[in-house]
Each structure stands twice: as structure tokens, then as C-alpha cells.
Amino acid sequence: MNHPNPIRLLVTQAVGLLCLAGMLSLVSIGIIPAAEKQDLPDAPSLTERDIAFFESNVRPVLAKHCYRCHSRQAGKSEGGLVLDTRDDLRRGGDRGVAIVPGKPDTSLLLRAVSHTEPDLEMPPGKSRLPDRVIADLREWIKIGAPDPRSGAT
């Protein structure tokens, strides 16, 4: 059985670190240009229809039924979940991501408002949201969960 030589391994690692340090030095003094940061859009391109759907069918539901327990403005993040921004919604909380764009059946938010799991019923202690509201949330997630919100709201 062939075992690696520990001295050769240390020398190889040291050479690698020296090369990396040298490259970083050359970048820092401008001899090698640093890679340009790509300008990525804050949000995917949204159509007027996407924005209108969110503003009339999703944001009001979040504001009326969710923000009381899941927003920075209310000072709460029950279960580690904050719903103030697009990124917050996709980040999720203690149980995982709240929505999976394009996959309503694997989205915790939809499962919670649908009351399909006894230990995950939102809003808590209240009856299930109307079928029309749940259908709108399902459709929103199915079409990719377009959300014009960014940053803190």
C-alpha cells in the first residue's frame, strides 16, 4: 500500500498557498485585473401582469394574515420566518424555505395555509383561508412566485 509522504504533502500545500498569495498580491496592486462583479438584476424580469397579480392577490393576504407574526415591522419572526421581502420569503424559516417557485405542492407556505398538516396550520388558531385565496397563492407559486419586493419594507 502506497502512503503519501507527509513532507511532500506539506510542501505541496505550502507551494499552493504561496501561489495563491502571489496572485492576490498581483490583483491588489493592479497588475492582474480583478474579475468584474456582474450586475445581476435584483429581481427577475416581471411583467405588469406579474406585479398586478402579486399586488392584488398576494401582498394583501400576507399583510392581513401573516405580517402580524412574520414581519420586521411587527418585530416578530415566529418560527424564524419573515415575509417582508422576496428574499425573506425564499429564505424561509426554521422549517425550511417558505416557497419553492414553480412547485406549489412542495411550498411550506401553501401547505400551512391549506391546513393539510395539523402541526402546520396558518394562521394559527383560526379557520382556513378561503379557497379562492389559497387558489391564488397556489397559482402565484406555480407561475414562479413573481414578487417585486426587494430590500427591507
Side-chain angles (χ1 to χ4, degrees):
M1 191 166 173
N2 191 6
H3 295 294
N5 181 335
I7 294 175
R8 172 177 264 163
L9 190 59
L10 278 172
V11 169
T12 303
Q13 289 175 343
V15 168
L17 288 172
L18 286 171
C19 288
L20 178 61
M23 293 291 286
L24 291 174
S25 296
L26 294 174
V27 168
S28 69
I29 60 174
I31 293 174
I32 298 175
E36 293 295 319
K37 181 181 174 188
Q38 284 187 333
D39 289 327
L40 298 175
D42 274 72
S45 296
L46 300 176
T47 65
E48 286 183 30
R49 184 174 182 270
D50 290 337
I51 295 169
F53 189 88
F54 178 83
E55 294 298 346
S56 60
N57 299 312
V58 178
R59 190 191 297 258
V61 173
L62 296 175
K64 183 176 181 181
H65 300 285
C66 306
Y67 287 162
R68 187 175 317 124
C69 298
H70 301 285
S71 75
R72 285 184 191 86
Q73 189 173 18
K76 289 188 177 183
S77 62
E78 298 290 332
L81 179 63
V82 176
L83 301 174
D84 294 326
T85 68
R86 176 185 61 251
D87 292 339
D88 290 335
L89 195 58
R90 283 165 170 70
R91 188 175 307 113
D94 297 344
R95 291 185 182 224
V97 297
I99 59 163
V100 180
K103 298 181 179 183
D105 293 328
T106 60
S107 296
L108 283 172
L109 177 74
L110 190 62
R111 290 181 8 223
V113 299
S114 298
H115 289 198
T116 57
E117 299 172 31
D119 67 330
L120 183 66
E121 293 183 352
M122 296 294 150
K126 297 183 179 178
S127 59
R128 193 175 106 124
L129 296 177
D131 289 343
R132 180 74 242 151
V133 170
I134 294 171
D136 285 343
L137 291 172
R138 173 176 290 284
E139 178 62 20
W140 174 66
I141 295 169
K142 184 179 175 183
I143 63 172
D147 184 343
R149 301 172 304 158
S150 64
T153 57

